[in-house]
Structures are given as structure tokens and as C-alpha cells.
């Protein structure tokens, strides 16, 4: 019996994918032995802790997230604790994680959890989606990783593993499409807890072993079942996407301004902001964007501060 089945649905005409119980077992066992020891994976982590980790990890390496997550959970162990914080406290605690609007949206989310759900993170995807700042990926991730439910949780690592393992393709799409969700769901066992285990195992395999350009196929627990490896084809020499320049961009200057404000005990003068970056237009665009996003508050006397 093949370990990976690829058939056609008579109802939709689409190829249906599935993993054999052996492949599922191999992936789950591999994760149990080799998964990273991240603080939010510790037994007893609350759904709030899982939600915070997911928001922090968006477009940010987990190595940078981990120490800030620990400090955050010690300071604000529940949504109610966090909802009582000021915006300035939140932005200072967010530090250099980047995209600080996430911090304010998380603050709005905690307030909504207190108001709508008595301070408890809801388990249903629909209820999670109704919270401020929570998109489909985060809602499903919390439902799966905190509440052990069966939903497709698809990021770039999952797209890559599915593309190589079951479709024989070199890489997945640049962003998650409906077909990616559909295909990933087809691979999940019906048993909810096992489906949750497989979801995190596939994601971890993509992060550690089945990487974009230098996969360690000799360390892969399911290499004998990998359709792409079986083709004998080599990966492209160049990345599928060019790395984006960061230094000197408007986002970079926004970060410099936020760093200045977080390190100040009070409002700062425009002259101090002017020293952050030499290009006036880039600097002004960054400042205007921060004000528009509610991350910086303009004050009389041409001064600026974090919102309270």
C-alpha cells in the first residue's frame, strides 16, 4: 500500500490527498523527539499564552519572540491583566519585535475578550475571528494549538512540506490560497488530538528540516515517502523571492522613531526625531504613518509621545 495516496474526488474532480497512518506516526514521533523547546509549548500554557505567541511570531523569528513572550506572560498572565495596561506600557513592552500595530491590536483583543467572554479566550474559530486583530491563520492556530481541534493551519513552512511531500513540487505558493487550506485539511487525521499533533509536526518539519533552500533530507523522518525527493530534481539555485531591503526603508525609519520614543520617559521634540534619519521626506512619511496608525501622539510645542 502506498504511504501517500493521490486520488480524484468524483464530486469535485480535484485530486484528493491523504497520508497513511505510518507517515502520520513518523511525523508526530519526530516532532516529539526533535521539536524546539519554545516557552509557549510548555505544558500548562494557557490559550491566552498561545494567542500571544502567535501574534508575536507573525513576521518575527521565534528566537526574538521567546524572551519577550516570557516577560510578557509574567507581567500580564491573563487578558484581564493586559487589558488594564496603558498603550504606552504595551508599546514599550513590545520592544523591537517590529510591526507595533500588532501590540495595540492585541490590546484591543484582550479588552474584547474581557468584555465578551469574561476574560477567557474562546475556543471556536468563529468567535476568535470576531476578536480585533485576529485573522484566519491566528484563529485556526489558537483553536488547534491551544484547544487541540482539527483545522488546517497553513504557513509558508506547511505549504512547502505539503508541496514537496505529497505533490512532488519544489516549493509552495507565496501566500496561502483556498486550495492550500483544502489540501492540508485532506491530510489531517479525523481524530482531533492526532490532527493537532500532525499540524505542529508538519510546521516544525518545514522550519527545521524541509527548509526553503537547504533541506536536510537525510534527517527527514518521511524522506522515503517524499514525492519531490523521488523525482531526483534539484531545487532552484536562487530563492523563489528576492529578500526585501529593510535598512533605509520607511518601515526602518518608523522603527527608529519608535525606539526613540520607547526609550524616553516623556515627550520628545521634533528636533530629536530629525536626528533619527537624514532624509526629510522619508522621516516625515514615517512619522505621519505612525501618527495615523495611533502609535505616536502629536502634542503642543511640536512634541511627540507614545499614546497613553
Amino acid at each position: 500500500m502506498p504511504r501517500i495516496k493521490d486520488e480524484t474526488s468524483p464530486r469535485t474532480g480535484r485530486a484528493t490527498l491523504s497520508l497513511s497512518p505510518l507517515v502520520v506516526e513518523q511525523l508526530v514521533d519526530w516532532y516529539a523527539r526533535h521539536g524546539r523547546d519554545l516557552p509557549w509549548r510548555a505544558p500548562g500554557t494557557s490559550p491566552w499564552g498561545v494567542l500571544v505567541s502567535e501574534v508575536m511570531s507573525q513576521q518575527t523569528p521565534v528566537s526574538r519572540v521567546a524572551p519577550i513572550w516570557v516577560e510578557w506572560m509574567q507581567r500580564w498572565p491573563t487578558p484581564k491583566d493586559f487589558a488594564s495596561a496603558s498603550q504606552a506600557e504595551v508599546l514599550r513592552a513590545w520592544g523591537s519585535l517590529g510591526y507595533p500595530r500588532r501590540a495595540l491590536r492585541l490590546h484591543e483583543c484582550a479588552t474584547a475578550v474581557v468584555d465578551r467572554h469574561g476574560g477567557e479566550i474562546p475556543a471556536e474559530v468563529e468567535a476568535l475571528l470576531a476578536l480585533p486583530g485576529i485573522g484566519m491563520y491566528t484563529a485556526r492556530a489558537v483553536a488547534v494549538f491551544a484547544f487541540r481541534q482539527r483545522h488546517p493551519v497553513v504557513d509558508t513552512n506547511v505549504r512547502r512540506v505539503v508541496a514537496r511531500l505529497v505533490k512532488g513540487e519544489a516549493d509552495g505558493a507565496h501566500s496561502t490560497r483556498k486550495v492550500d487550506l483544502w489540501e492540508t485539511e485532506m491530510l489531517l487525521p479525523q481524530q482531533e488530538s492526532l490532527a493537532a499533533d500532525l499540524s505542529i509536526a508538519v510546521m516544525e518539519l518545514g522550519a527545521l528540516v524541509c527548509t526553503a533552500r537547504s533541506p536536510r533530507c537525510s534527517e527527514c523522518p518521511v524522506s522515503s515517502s517524499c514525492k519531490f525527493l523521488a523525482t531526483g530534481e534539484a531545487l532552484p539555485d536562487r530563492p523563489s523571492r528576492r529578500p526585501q531591503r529593510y535598512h533605509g526603508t520607511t518601515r526602518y525609519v518608523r522603527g527608529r522613531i519608535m525606539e526613540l520614543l520607547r526609550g524616553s520617559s516623556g515627550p520628545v521634540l521634533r528636533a530629536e526625531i530629525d536626528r533619527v534619519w537624514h532624509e526629510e521626506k522619508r522621516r516625515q512619511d514615517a512619522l505621519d504613518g505612525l501618527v495615523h496608525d495611533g502609535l505616536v501622539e502629536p502634542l503642543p510645542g511640536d512634541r511627540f509621545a507614545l499614546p497613553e
Side-chain angles (χ1 to χ4, degrees):
M1 177 180 293
R3 293 181 176 181
I4 297 174
K5 301 177 183 179
D6 187 346
E7 302 170 347
T8 300
S9 166
R11 183 173 63 84
T12 65
R14 288 176 171 175
T16 61
L17 307 174
S18 63
L19 298 177
S20 73
L22 176 60
V23 171
V24 172
E25 181 182 359
Q26 288 170 330
L27 287 166
V28 171
D29 286 349
W30 172 86
Y31 173 75
R33 288 181 284 111
H34 299 287
R36 288 169 292 183
D37 185 19
L38 300 174
W40 49 85
R41 292 178 178 171
T45 299
S46 67
W48 165 243
V50 173
L51 188 149
V52 171
S53 75
E54 289 296 336
V55 173
M56 286 184 170
S57 299
Q58 294 167 11
Q59 299 177 291
T60 305
V62 294
S63 58
R64 287 173 54 196
V65 169
I68 295 178
W69 183 90
V70 171
E71 294 175 4
W72 196 284
M73 297 307 298
Q74 290 173 344
R75 186 173 184 179
W76 298 303
T78 69
K80 183 178 180 180
D81 295 320
F82 185 53
S84 65
S86 71
Q87 291 184 330
E89 288 178 300
V90 169
L91 291 171
R92 286 193 171 94
W94 191 258
S96 60
L97 283 179
Y99 300 98
R101 283 193 68 184
R102 290 181 293 166
L104 295 187
R105 293 295 279 170
L106 186 58
H107 192 248
E108 293 176 33
C109 175
T111 301
V113 168
V114 172
D115 293 343
R116 303 175 195 174
H117 303 284
E120 299 294 331
I121 301 296
E124 302 78 16
V125 168
E126 293 75 13
L128 288 161
L129 279 171
L131 297 172
I134 302 301
M136 184 58 76
Y137 170 83
T138 303
R140 286 175 169 157
V142 172
V144 171
F145 303 142
F147 296 105
R148 311 280 294 159
Q149 297 176 12
R150 182 185 184 275
H151 300 284
V153 184
V154 181
D155 68 354
T156 185
N157 293 313
V158 172
R159 293 194 301 271
R160 185 187 317 115
V161 171
V162 171
R164 292 175 180 170
L165 178 62
V166 304
K167 298 169 68 178
E169 299 172 357
D171 207 350
H174 293 330
S175 59
T176 300
R177 307 160 299 175
K178 287 184 179 179
V179 68
D180 297 312
L181 296 170
W182 182 81
E183 290 173 345
T184 303
E185 186 171 10
M186 291 301 100
L187 302 177
L188 297 177
Q190 291 303 311
Q191 182 185 344
E192 288 201 336
S193 61
L194 184 58
D197 288 340
L198 180 64
S199 292
I200 188 62
V202 170
M203 189 173 292
E204 192 78 340
L205 188 75
L208 299 183
V209 174
C210 193
T211 55
R213 299 275 66 86
S214 302
R216 299 195 294 274
C217 299
S218 62
E219 301 175 24
C220 178
V222 291
S223 60
S224 62
S225 302
C226 179
K227 288 191 174 182
F228 180 72
L229 191 60
T231 67
E233 297 179 12
L235 291 173
D237 292 333
R238 297 181 179 179
S240 56
R241 286 184 291 178
R242 291 183 179 179
Q244 293 183 336
R245 180 176 66 92
Y246 175 59
H247 184 84
T249 62
T250 300
R251 186 164 69 88
Y252 172 82
V253 180
R254 282 169 61 109
R256 294 285 300 275
I257 294 172
M258 289 299 296
E259 183 180 9
L260 172 67
L261 293 171
R262 286 196 307 269
S264 174
S265 58
V268 302
L269 294 169
R270 180 180 290 273
E272 295 178 71
I273 293 177
D274 289 346
R275 289 194 287 271
V276 162
W277 189 249
H278 61 283
E279 296 176 283
E280 182 178 357
K281 184 179 186 308
R282 179 86 63 188
R283 190 176 63 239
Q284 190 61 49
D285 287 346
L287 181 59
D288 290 343
L290 290 170
V291 171
H292 178 268
D293 292 343
L295 296 166
V296 171
E297 183 178 349
L299 300 173
D302 213 15
R303 299 175 302 154
F304 299 86
L306 297 175
E308 292 297 334

